Amino acid sequence: MRIIVENNYDEMSRTAAGIVADEVRRKPDCVLGLATGSTPLGMYRELIAMYQREELDFSGIKTFNLDEYFTLPPDHPQSYHYFMFENFFNHINVPKEQIHLPQGTATDIQKACQEYEKAIAQAGGIDLLVLGIGENGHIGFNEPAERLQVGTHLADLTEETVRVNSRFFPSLPKVPRQAVTMGLGTILKARRILLLANGLRKAPAIKETVSGFITTKCPASLLQVHPDMTLILDREAASLLKNQI
Ligand code: GLP
């Protein structure tokens, strides 16, 4: 695992954007896996700026998002669909039909999850997957548990995640308790993974992620087995790492 520690959030975002941009230039029809949350926002802003300066062309890429809240329709302001269009897709030239997100409102969720896996495989698999991390070590919505699921599935959110994510909702009861997420197998099949984290609140989960041990109590720790995995951190998120850097 490669660990890059930057001084602050903006530098972390620029470094991440630089890696994504290099991938898009190297392979204009690459398949990107994308995350939501406050962490990758700066990276999206950098990529949009590169597109506006005509340094990048997204017309050939395909995207697959990690997760979506169960029951939220795409036009719901707190849905991840809405987030991605507002913060990224509406500002670049990726054609709509090349954008994929799990469907939170599918009538047959099981079938929709299988189709999502199939669509990723048909696209040739994910070339570069960008991840954030939850304070409890979750990736996508794969929460700490005794057993972790391999493929895309409907997941129950922990109380802690519901509480942490309630900052984006008008009130706690409005936060969905379930979400459709790529599984650990879907994530680990990506050819290259970037995990971004900033701030002190993420430091314990990051420590666990590079601990040298794997535990389903910290789903991100499984990333240690991946052959091409890069962590991009700010100083605060890296503050509990000593010998690893
Ligand atoms: C959510 C998402 C994750 C994301 C995490 C961290 O639970 N499902 O994909 O990584 O939150 O979010 P933030 O970047 O806002 O800290």
Side-chain angles (χ1 to χ4, degrees):
M1 183 184 295
R2 221 156 57 101
I3 305 177
I4 302 173
V5 182
E6 300 290 5
N7 285 314
N8 53 46
Y9 178 78
D10 288 345
E11 284 181 22
M12 177 200 80
S13 302
R14 268 197 293 277
T15 300
I19 293 173
V20 174
D22 284 347
E23 180 67 18
V24 174
R25 286 192 196 104
R26 184 187 73 82
K27 190 176 176 192
D29 61 348
C30 67
V31 179
L32 298 180
L34 298 175
T36 51
S38 30
T39 310
L41 273 178
M43 180 194 78
Y44 291 137
R45 277 196 292 268
E46 288 290 330
L47 289 169
I48 292 166
M50 289 181 198
Y51 169 70
Q52 286 168 345
R53 292 196 300 264
E54 295 181 12
E55 295 167 9
L56 267 187
D57 175 12
F58 292 99
S59 62
I61 69 162
K62 290 195 184 83
T63 69
F64 287 88
N65 261 77
L66 272 169
D67 45 17
E68 177 58 286
Y69 283 117
F70 183 52
T71 72
L72 294 196
D75 58 352
H76 190 289
Q78 269 82 37
S79 75
Y80 286 167
H81 272 79
Y82 192 91
F83 175 100
M84 287 306 298
F85 279 89
E86 277 289 292
N87 293 299
F88 193 40
F89 299 142
N90 283 344
H91 310 283
I92 59 170
N93 65 335
V94 58
K96 220 172 162 210
E97 56 281 8
Q98 289 163 216
I99 294 170
H100 307 82
L101 287 99
Q103 297 302 314
T105 52
T107 34
D108 187 343
I109 283 286
Q110 213 81 318
K111 192 166 159 239
C113 290
Q114 283 166 7
E115 279 167 4
Y116 201 63
E117 289 286 333
K118 224 186 280 165
I120 295 172
Q122 272 165 4
I126 297 171
D127 290 302
L128 177 64
L129 173 61
V130 180
L131 296 175
I133 184 168
E135 289 173 28
N136 63 1
H138 75 236
I139 44 178
F141 269 124
N142 294 276
E143 296 276 34
E146 204 171 314
R147 301 190 327 158
L148 299 176
Q149 288 205 45
V150 175
T152 300
H153 62 283
L154 183 63
D156 295 328
L157 310 193
T158 61
E159 280 307 315
E160 185 189 357
T161 297
V162 170
R163 187 178 41 74
V164 172
N165 288 3
S166 67
R167 69 189 191 279
F168 299 112
F169 288 81
S171 66
L172 192 65
K174 298 254 187 245
V175 187
R177 306 252 146 186
Q178 289 181 300
V180 183
T181 181
M182 285 185 191
L184 255 300
T186 330
I187 290 170
L188 288 171
K189 266 190 273 179
R191 280 184 268 280
R192 199 168 163 206
I193 300 178
L194 288 188
L195 188 147
L196 275 52
N198 67 289
L200 281 178
R201 299 169 76 92
K202 300 288 172 75
I206 290 300
K207 188 181 174 199
E208 199 69 48
T209 300
V210 303
S211 63
F213 293 90
I214 290 166
T215 167
T216 57
K217 287 185 201 144
C218 175
S221 69
L222 271 86
L223 298 170
Q224 291 172 103
V225 303
H226 195 277
D228 194 346
M229 163 73 200
T230 304
L231 274 185
I232 310 178
L233 311 172
D234 74 347
R235 285 203 176 283
E236 291 189 347
S239 59
L240 297 179
L241 308 187
K242 292 182 194 98
N243 304 330
Q244 293 91 338
I245 303 170

